[in-house]
Amino acid sequence: MAEQHTPRSLIVSLYGAYGRTPDNAPLPVAELIRLLAALDVDAPSVRSSVSRLKRRGLLVPERTADGAAGYALSPDARQLLDDGDRRIYAHTEPTLDEGWVLAVFSVPEAERHKRHLLRSRLGGLGFGTAAPGVWIAPARLYEETRHTLERLQLGMYVDLFRGEHLGFSATAEAVGRWWDLPSVAKQHEEFLAAHEPVLRGWPAGARRPAEEAYHDYLLALDSWRRLPYADPGLPAELLPQDWPGARSAAVFGELHARLRDTGARFVEEGADGPGAHSGA
C-alpha cells in the first residue's frame, strides 16, 4: 500500500526538522508554500492545513522580522516536538531493567467522551492494554505521558505508577497480549519497503541537489515519526525473532545522517527572515 503524506502532517514534519529556532521565529507563509511545493503540495492545501493547525493551537500567526505574514510554533507544539525528538532520534537500546509505567483511569459515565479521548491518546503514545482501564508502557515514556495528559487536562482521571512485571506469565508472552505486535511489525516493513531503496540511492558521500535531499528526508521523517509511537520500543528479549524494528531504525538513522544537513541548505535558500532553522 502506498504511503500517505497529508499536507498537515508534512507541515508538522517540516517544523520538526527545520522550523525551530532559539527565538521561535515564524516561518513566512511564502516559505511554507515554497517548501511544501517541493513535496508536491499546492498552495491552497498548505493554507487550509495551516488554518487547521492554527485552530488546534499548534501554530500561531506572527509577522516576520521584515513584516511578512508567518506562523510560529505555539508552546504546546514546541513541547510536542521536543518530546517527539526523544523518540524519533533515540540512540539508546531499551533494557529489561527499565521497568514499566502504568496508567490507571476511571472516567464518570457523564464524561464518557473523555474516556474515548484517554484511550486514543494513550494508544497514540505507545501504551498497550494490560486490562480494562489499565494501560502499560516502558517507564521512559512517563514524562511525555504526563505532559500529554496535563496539556489535555485529563490528569484528574488518571493515576500513574512505576513498576515491574512479576508474573504469572512470562513477560515476553504478556507483551503479545498487551500490544498488537504483528501490526507494528507490518508498519516497520512498510517503512523499509518505501525508504530502504531511497537509502541505497544515497551512498555515503553522494553529491546531489539540496532539494533532492530535502525531499527524500522530509518524506522519510514524515513516515518514520509515527513509528516510535506505534512501537513502544521493547527490549529485544521481549520481541519475536527477526523483528524489523531495529532495521527500520537503522535505515532512518542513516537517512537522517546523510540528508538532513544537506536538505537544510534548500530550506535556507529562501529563509531571509528566520535564517538557518535548527532541528534535532
Side-chain angles (χ1 to χ4, degrees), residues 26-32 47 60-72:
L27 276 171
V29 173
E31 267 304 279
L32 287 170
R47 293 183 187 279
V60 180
E62 286 187 15
R63 293 284 171 178
T64 66
D66 60 1
Y71 285 88

Side-chain angles (χ1 to χ4, degrees), residues 2 4 86 126 248:
Q4 297 296 315
R86 287 188 283 275
S248 66

Side-chain angles (χ1 to χ4, degrees), residues 82-116:
D82 290 347
D83 283 341
D85 285 351
R86 287 188 283 275
R87 296 204 198 198
I88 294 166
Y89 306 104
H91 299 296
T92 57
E93 290 293 328
T95 61
L96 280 173
D97 60 3
E98 175 186 350
W100 305 93
V101 59
L102 293 175
V104 181
F105 66 82
S106 178
V107 180
E109 185 61 23
E111 298 180 278
R112 58 183 177 272
H113 64 286
K114 293 185 178 178
R115 188 181 307 143
H116 172 75

Side-chain angles (χ1 to χ4, degrees), residues 2-273:
E3 287 189 307
Q4 297 296 315
H5 297 280
T6 68
R8 183 166 47 177
S9 178
L10 287 168
I11 290 169
V12 172
S13 294
L14 169 61
Y15 272 91
Y18 300 114
R20 281 176 281 178
T21 59
D23 59 353
N24 199 30
L27 276 171
V29 173
E31 267 304 279
L32 287 170
I33 290 171
R34 178 183 78 91
L35 293 169
L36 271 294
L39 300 165
D40 300 318
V41 179
D42 60 28
S45 296
V46 173
R47 293 183 187 279
S48 64
S49 297
V50 165
S51 293
R52 292 191 193 99
L53 291 167
K54 176 186 169 185
R55 286 196 299 270
R56 289 180 58 194
L58 298 177
L59 292 182
V60 180
E62 286 187 15
R63 293 284 171 178
T64 66
D66 60 1
Y71 285 88
L73 292 165
S74 70
D76 280 351
R78 188 95 186 200
Q79 182 70 67
L80 279 168
L81 292 174
D82 290 347
D83 283 341
D85 285 351
R86 287 188 283 275
R87 296 204 198 198
I88 294 166
Y89 306 104
H91 299 296
T92 57
E93 290 293 328
T95 61
L96 280 173
D97 60 3
E98 175 186 350
W100 305 93
V101 59
L102 293 175
V104 181
F105 66 82
S106 178
V107 180
E109 185 61 23
E111 298 180 278
R112 58 183 177 272
H113 64 286
K114 293 185 178 178
R115 188 181 307 143
H116 172 75
L117 180 58
L118 259 170
R119 290 171 178 156
S120 173
R121 295 299 173 157
L122 289 172
L125 286 166
F127 276 71
T129 310
V134 181
W135 292 62
I136 188 167
R140 68 180 175 281
L141 302 187
Y142 163 73
E143 289 291 345
E144 185 178 359
T145 301
R146 189 177 190 90
H147 291 157
T148 299
L149 296 178
E150 288 173 344
R151 186 178 68 253
L152 297 173
Q153 299 182 334
L154 294 171
M156 68 186 74
Y157 305 106
V158 185
D159 285 303
L160 298 176
F161 302 88
R162 289 185 188 269
E164 57 182 311
H165 182 237
L166 299 176
F168 290 88
S169 58
T171 305
E173 178 186 331
V175 298
R177 298 194 306 270
W178 300 339
W179 284 277
D180 184 355
L181 293 179
S183 174
V184 177
K186 183 179 179 182
Q187 292 179 61
H188 281 296
E189 288 159 359
E190 289 172 348
F191 177 85
L192 286 164
H195 297 285
E196 205 166 29
V198 175
L199 178 60
R200 288 196 292 269
W202 285 93
R207 294 183 177 275
R208 298 206 338 234
E211 183 175 352
E212 287 186 31
Y214 164 83
H215 174 277
D216 288 352
Y217 178 63
L218 249 293
L219 292 182
L221 175 62
D222 195 56
S223 298
W224 172 257
R225 69 182 179 85
R226 299 172 180 83
L227 262 170
Y229 288 89
D231 184 338
L234 301 173
E237 298 94 324
L238 303 181
L239 292 168
Q241 289 187 343
D242 301 321
W243 181 253
R247 191 166 135 228
S248 66
V251 166
F252 174 72
E254 280 299 313
L255 286 169
H256 176 75
R258 297 181 192 185
L259 304 184
R260 193 266 169 200
D261 289 347
T262 303
R265 294 204 295 272
F266 176 70
V267 176
E268 292 160 9
E269 284 174 7
D272 296 329

